[in-house]
Amino acid sequence: MPGVKPRPKPAAKRPRLQFHNVGELLTHLGGVPASRVCLDPPLGTATKRDLIRLHATEDKLYELVDRTLVEKPTGSPESFLAAELIFLLRTFLQANDWGFLYAPDALIEMLPNLVRGPDVCFVSWDKRPDRTVPGEPISTLIPDLAVEVLSPDNTRAEMERKRGEYFRAGVRLVWEIDPAKRTADAYTAPDARTAVDVLDGGDVLPGFRLPLAKLFERLAEPARKKGRKKKG
């Protein structure tokens, strides 16, 4: 009617934060350093669209956890080992065409509103009968094997949480590789840990065996920190 002003649309409700302070959020994320938590968009409001935007505009990798964007730490040793492992796995798959691999910059929706980016992962063709790799920016195909190459900024609680999420989503095998210690752990369940000298594909990649000595053979030992000389 003339002279009647339309009612303004109600403002969109923001998701309600379940934490009272930043400390509670960091603890829930696994004790990650605050420097890895992105404030754009504000805590507790991030979406998959925001994650895709940051991956397209920044030279950092992020994951979406509890509607918060968390930077995935990277470094030269981690990148090198991921590349070596991808090469060796891809070589194995050339003779055993059982699936395909994703590199560290892949985004995978493991659970609702939870997007992770394993350093390396293998997906069986059983989950993709047409034997093509989907073109969406965020994949919904749950890997059969997920590999994490640990960085100094990764905390024990963070990795425990991540393992639990992987297996809850349907991952069958997890490898955690520690460049600093030259060690690796294999998991077939969140709490089923086996320290290994050989990465074994088990039921996921039957016949694949990679001695850690071969994986680490071209990685230089980390430089030792020089201690202060004692005054005589």
Side-chain angles (χ1 to χ4, degrees):
M1 294 177 63
V4 178
K5 295 182 179 180
R7 293 182 179 180
K9 294 182 179 180
K13 292 183 179 180
R14 292 184 177 181
R16 186 176 180 180
L17 288 172
Q18 55 180 316
F19 309 103
H20 295 292
N21 54 59
V22 175
E24 288 185 4
L25 172 61
L26 294 177
T27 299
H28 189 71
L29 293 174
V32 302
S35 59
R36 287 176 50 199
V37 178
C38 184
L39 298 180
D40 176 24
L43 302 178
T45 65
T47 65
K48 288 183 284 186
R49 183 176 295 179
D50 295 313
L51 178 60
I52 294 170
R53 171 178 59 83
L54 255 66
H55 267 239
T57 58
E58 296 194 12
D59 58 355
K60 299 178 181 179
L61 302 179
Y62 292 88
E63 297 177 314
L64 177 63
V65 190
D66 293 328
R67 295 189 180 278
T68 299
L69 296 181
V70 182
E71 182 183 346
K72 183 176 172 63
T74 57
S76 296
E78 300 93 311
S79 176
F80 168 77
L81 290 177
E84 284 289 285
L85 190 54
I86 288 173
F87 171 76
L88 294 167
L89 284 168
R90 184 69 186 92
T91 301
F92 176 82
L93 290 173
Q94 283 184 320
N96 305 275
D97 189 17
W98 296 333
F100 66 94
L101 302 170
Y102 276 132
D105 54 350
L107 297 173
I108 302 170
E109 187 171 17
M110 295 289 179
L111 297 166
N113 296 312
L114 175 72
V115 180
R116 292 292 191 183
D119 291 301
V120 182
C121 60
F122 163 76
V123 182
S124 168
W125 288 133
D126 291 342
K127 298 175 180 176
R128 193 74 175 174
D130 65 355
R131 296 190 171 224
T132 63
V133 179
E136 295 83 4
I138 297 179
S139 175
T140 57
L141 295 177
I142 303 302
D144 297 270
L145 166 67
V147 183
E148 291 286 339
V149 183
L150 303 183
S151 298
D153 268 356
N154 286 130
T155 68
R156 180 177 297 181
E158 176 187 15
M159 301 314 297
E160 288 178 354
R161 169 177 176 155
K162 190 173 285 192
R163 282 196 306 274
E165 293 166 348
Y166 283 164
F167 285 106
R168 195 158 67 249
V171 175
R172 299 164 56 198
L173 178 63
V174 173
W175 292 339
E176 287 186 8
I177 300 171
D178 190 332
K181 296 180 180 179
R182 300 293 201 277
T183 59
D185 295 324
Y187 293 84
T188 52
D191 55 354
R193 169 183 170 270
T194 303
V196 298
D197 294 323
V198 176
L199 293 173
D200 192 314
D203 295 335
V204 176
L205 288 168
F208 179 83
R209 289 177 59 82
L210 173 61
L212 293 187
K214 179 175 177 60
L215 179 64
F216 292 129
E217 66 181 351
R218 293 193 179 276
L219 185 65
E221 291 287 344
R224 294 183 179 180
K225 294 182 179 180
K226 297 181 179 180
R228 293 183 179 179
K229 295 182 178 179
K230 295 182 180 180
K231 294 182 179 180

